[in-house]
Amino acid sequence: MTAARAAFDGWAAKSPQERGALLAAVAEGLSERGDELAVTIATELGMPLPLSRLIQVGLPTMSFASMAGLLLEPQAEEEIGNSLVVREPYGVVAAIAPWNYPLHQIAAKVAPALASGCTVVLKPSEVTPLCAFTLAQICHDAGLPPGVLTIVTGYGPVVGEALITNPGVDIVTFTGSEGVGRHIGEVTGHNLVPATLELGGKSACNVLEDADLQQAVTACVTRCLLNSGQTCIALSRLLVPRELLSEAETIAATVAEAHTLGDPFDADTKMGPLVSAEQRERVREHIRRGIDEGARLVAGGPDAPEGLQRGYFVAPTVLSAVRSDMAIAQEEVFGPVLSILGYEDEEDAIRIANDSRFGLSGAVWSADEARAVRVARRIRTGQVDVNGGAFNPAAPFGGVGCSGNGRELGRHGFDEFSYMKSIQL
Ligand code: NAD
């Protein structure tokens, strides 16, 4: 904390171009060491190696490069009447990251914070800390001044707690579970320190009756199972017209069963194990509870997948006949489990999609794009994909309700780390 504070004035005083050049060098370093980082993350987390390379390394590289790009653009300052409105960096950032996209979530915080002129004390997840050390080496090699990025490691309730309660912190940025998010919100609220909280989700994929069912269900299952379902924006609820339920179940089961489980380093593997024994047990318990509550098992299940004696594997699982009031439709499972729910009409589909305390992501499929966009506007979440619209790393990312607050990525993510000051002339 002392190092971050001592480094702040010098770092904030650098020109945007100087900071941009350093961030561009970090992006280059990430790209050069991409293969090594992909192996580290595949080993720590269990995501298949090619996906690790593409997503777990690709996205953070883009985050640093895009912040460098923003800083090289002319920085226009707003004038309102006799006021000049300027932005000032908050100061020292406490950044706390989870394990599921370990380097991406770190980069989504560290890159815009550094770009804004803040210094950062970062605590990576204790489950996946290694990629943070590689990032630190890359920053060092790129010439980042001492103290601008500091890394502390350890357990959340010990090291994380010490970090968020430290009086030297000017702003907290957290990605993780709802429970820890609530706690951090309480602490920072009490201390009057701003905090951005990126929490969990229970996102719905609304397939309207005029959509291409095969395409929509295939895309939904694939998105649900990415990273073994350990993705905050996983589409874990599939909403289909009641009369198409049985057809949707058949498609979903076929797609789920084609997700070959195995060693993340084996070329045939489409889905790796879960991150830990604890996570596997949590997911199995969710599946058992769903079945107990009346959901029908269409694929997978809570038992160990055949032929895989080692590793924390859970078979890609599809549950149907799920009702919105069941725990499986309300709680974030954070594993490879899709719930299928039937609806009566468009209004009912929107009602079910919004029947969640979370509000992170969602999807709408329809043959009529204008209709899909109309529905998307009524879904109460931070982002909605229409007809498989691709993830956009320059667009604001974040949630509403119990999915948290604040936005990451792109210009909006950058703005989170500075406050506005009006200078009256
Ligand atoms: P977690 O809340 O258990 O841990 C996240 C981080 O918080 C870890 O670094 C942990 O050490 C730290 N921590 C724990 N207790 C703390 C405390 N008392 N004080 C300070 N820090 C503390 O979450 P996780 O299991 O690592 O990640 C999974 C969760 O993250 C899921 O709920 C997922 O949806 C969510 N997530 C959200 C987003 C998003 O952008 N909205 C992205 C990815 C993951």
Side-chain angles (χ1 to χ4, degrees):
M1 194 56 64
T2 312
R5 174 63 55 203
F8 173 64
D9 285 343
W11 180 246
K14 283 196 185 299
S15 70
Q17 289 73 18
E18 284 173 303
R19 287 200 297 271
L22 278 164
L23 294 185
V26 174
E28 214 164 289
L30 285 169
S31 169
E32 277 164 17
R33 294 181 69 174
D35 290 341
E36 172 198 339
L37 276 163
V39 169
T40 301
I41 296 171
T43 308
E44 285 190 308
L45 178 67
M47 190 189 225
L49 186 63
L51 280 175
S52 270
R53 181 72 179 85
L54 185 74
I55 301 172
Q56 303 274 9
V57 182
L59 283 177
T61 308
M62 242 188 279
S63 281
F64 275 94
S66 74
M67 287 303 136
L70 271 183
L71 291 177
L72 298 175
E73 286 171 14
Q75 310 289 308
E77 282 178 336
E78 195 182 358
E79 284 180 39
I80 303 176
N82 66 322
S83 299
L84 176 66
V85 182
V86 299
R87 297 200 78 103
E88 301 287 356
Y90 269 108
V92 175
V93 177
I96 300 183
W99 47 261
N100 59 327
Y101 289 83
L103 191 58
H104 163 59
Q105 280 131 359
I106 287 173
K109 299 177 181 315
V110 171
L114 297 185
S116 307
C118 293
T119 56
V120 179
V121 180
L122 163 71
K123 193 197 94 55
S125 168
E126 58 273 34
V127 183
T128 53
L130 297 181
C131 57
F133 293 118
T134 311
L135 174 68
Q137 280 173 348
I138 290 170
C139 289
H140 176 79
D141 294 345
L144 205 71
V148 171
L149 173 64
T150 307
I151 293 178
V152 292
T153 54
Y155 290 111
V158 182
V159 178
E161 191 71 24
L163 189 54
I164 58 164
T165 51
N166 191 299
V169 167
D170 296 305
I171 179 170
V172 172
T173 169
F174 169 78
T175 299
S177 60
E178 182 190 355
V180 176
R182 279 181 198 280
H183 172 67
I184 292 180
E186 280 168 14
V187 170
T188 52
H190 178 79
N191 293 344
L192 299 177
V193 168
T196 59
L197 305 171
E198 304 288 345
L199 313 177
K202 190 73 195 178
S203 302
C205 175
N206 275 24
V207 181
L208 303 183
E209 82 292 341
D210 61 353
D212 179 331
L213 193 69
Q214 177 76 37
Q215 195 189 6
V217 174
T218 302
C220 175
V221 178
T222 309
R223 279 277 305 275
C224 177
L225 299 180
L226 179 67
N227 202 19
S228 304
Q230 302 164 124
T231 302
C232 56
I233 53 171
L235 296 172
S236 53
R237 291 184 294 152
L238 170 62
L239 313 189
V240 294
R242 206 168 286 288
E243 62 278 11
L244 297 178
L245 255 179
S246 123
E247 208 182 321
E249 285 171 9
T250 308
I251 300 168
T254 308
V255 178
E257 281 158 4
H259 276 69
T260 322
L261 286 168
D263 185 329
F265 292 94
D266 186 333
D268 295 331
T269 298
K270 285 223 164 56
M271 210 176 92
L274 297 188
V275 75
S276 63
E278 189 193 355
Q279 187 66 15
R280 177 181 58 177
E281 204 34 57
R282 211 180 285 157
V283 171
R284 285 175 163 175
E285 203 36 55
H286 276 292
I287 300 172
R288 288 189 200 108
R289 185 166 171 199
I291 295 168
D292 287 349
E293 284 184 321
R296 186 158 32 80
L297 192 63
V298 174
D303 302 331
E306 261 176 54
L308 289 164
Q309 305 315 326
R310 280 185 62 237
Y312 310 127
F313 290 101
V314 172
T317 296
V318 179
L319 293 165
S320 191
V322 172
R323 290 188 325 268
S324 197
D325 62 350
M326 292 179 182
I328 195 73
Q330 292 295 330
E331 300 303 321
E332 183 184 48
V333 174
F334 227 53
V337 182
L338 177 74
S339 294
I340 309 185
L341 295 87
Y343 66 79
E344 297 305 329
D345 55 22
E346 189 180 298
E347 274 311 303
D348 196 33
I350 294 167
R351 183 191 62 77
I352 297 173
N354 287 335
D355 181 22
S356 169
R357 67 182 188 282
F358 296 108
L360 191 56
S361 191
V364 183
W365 287 80
S366 167
D368 174 354
E369 189 178 280
R371 179 185 179 203
V373 171
R374 256 192 338 265
V375 171
R377 285 179 186 274
R378 295 184 58 197
I379 308 290
R380 204 176 160 274
T381 59
Q383 46 266 309
V384 185
D385 306 331
V386 165
N387 290 335
F391 182 78
N392 177 358
F397 179 93
V400 295
C402 294
S403 292
N405 58 53
R407 290 295 178 266
E408 293 195 318
L409 306 178
R411 162 70 62 185
H412 296 274
F414 173 72
D415 285 347
E416 294 281 351
F417 293 96
S418 56
Y419 60 91
M420 281 180 276
K421 180 159 79 184
S422 300
I423 301 173
Q424 279 63 246
L425 304 170

